[in-house]
Amino acid sequence: MSAGERWILAYEYEPGRSCVPVGLSVEVGRTLVVGREGELRLGVEVLNRGISRKAIEVTAAEDGWDINVLNLNGAMLHPWGQAPQRITGRQFLRWPRLAIRLLGGAKRQGPDTSDPAHHWLLLEADTATVTTQGPRAQPPTTTWTVSPEPPLPLSGPQEEAVRLVFNELLQWPPRLPAQPMQLDAAARRLGIGESAVRERLRHVHERAVRLGLHRRVGLTNPDYLYVLVQAGYLAPPAFAAYRRTPAWLR
């Protein structure tokens, strides 16, 4: 992660209403407190008293983000293109696009909560690149070994197919629920037969196997997508034009 521009943004939505992400560009070393009474307010415009007054502290570091989760109901980490995971306490994270969903209700809430209101903190680094270290400092539960001779990049049609099938999982800012598209629906969207979609995705899946995918999975199972993203085969979202700094935060 390089020292390019970093943004910390609050993003909230509920049925029939979606708020524009607001926040600010931060310099390395700056710490921002986020919560109902934080410098960056979350759980106020889309009200949720289950979010702590000071829910999370975020510091922009030279090579990542130093975060401290204080929210009593916890938080879920949603790295772009990776599986979500629950996080607590102090963490050091490296990834170009990180979303932290602060939980305001029951502690049993997980990656696909049915709560219709969502409260996100977006951490965006424009010049950062995906690395095989993954989005967290500690080793992942499943270890992947990258081949010394990585497979060729995806072809245009292959990337088109995988981005379409996993479109909801690759959206930024994130939306929930997010599910893979069925292959017959993807075929209709692409104007080709389902067998052609399967053939494209088989080649993509085989690249993930060569990159160290721990087991073969179905073509709509995102496990192989996560391996490809972690190995840099799919680029993260580009600069986000939606960024806005409100007057009270300047």
Side-chain angles (χ1 to χ4, degrees), residues 124-218:
E124 304 182 353
D126 287 337
T127 56
T129 56
V130 170
T131 73
T132 53
Q133 291 179 328
R136 53 182 175 173
Q138 61 267 40
T141 304
T142 302
T143 347
W144 293 316
T145 304
V146 178
S147 166
E149 296 182 3
L152 294 173
L154 303 181
S155 69
Q158 290 165 359
E159 181 168 345
E160 180 183 41
V162 75
R163 283 189 179 272
L164 178 60
V165 169
F166 295 110
N167 175 60
E168 291 189 2
L169 284 77
L170 294 173
Q171 284 190 22
W172 189 265
R175 300 283 298 195
L176 290 181
Q179 298 293 333
M181 182 181 291
Q182 294 301 309
L183 299 186
D184 57 347
R188 289 193 297 271
R189 288 280 299 275
L190 293 171
I192 58 178
E194 184 177 337
S195 60
V197 175
R198 289 183 177 276
E199 185 63 19
R200 293 181 186 183
L201 293 180
R202 282 194 195 98
H203 287 292
V204 176
H205 181 278
E206 287 308 308
R207 281 174 172 79
V209 170
R210 289 184 57 194
L211 289 163
L213 179 67
H214 60 289
R215 63 185 178 91
R216 293 181 183 273
V217 297

Side-chain angles (χ1 to χ4, degrees), residues 53-70:
R53 289 175 294 175
K54 295 182 178 180
I56 188 168
E57 297 173 338
V58 182
T59 303
E62 193 70 44
D63 59 343
W65 302 95
D66 189 352
I67 71 166
N68 187 19
V69 178
L70 307 170

Side-chain angles (χ1 to χ4, degrees), residues 33-34 52 54-57 68-74 89 102:
V33 179
V34 182
S52 301
K54 295 182 178 180
I56 188 168
E57 297 173 338
N68 187 19
V69 178
L70 307 170
N71 193 47
L72 291 178
N73 284 313
L102 295 174

Side-chain angles (χ1 to χ4, degrees), residues 67 75-79 83-87 93 98-101 135-136:
I67 71 166
M76 295 295 299
L77 174 66
H78 295 250
Q85 58 188 279
R86 185 177 286 272
I87 53 171
L93 307 170
L98 289 162
I100 300 170
R101 181 165 56 87
R136 53 182 175 173

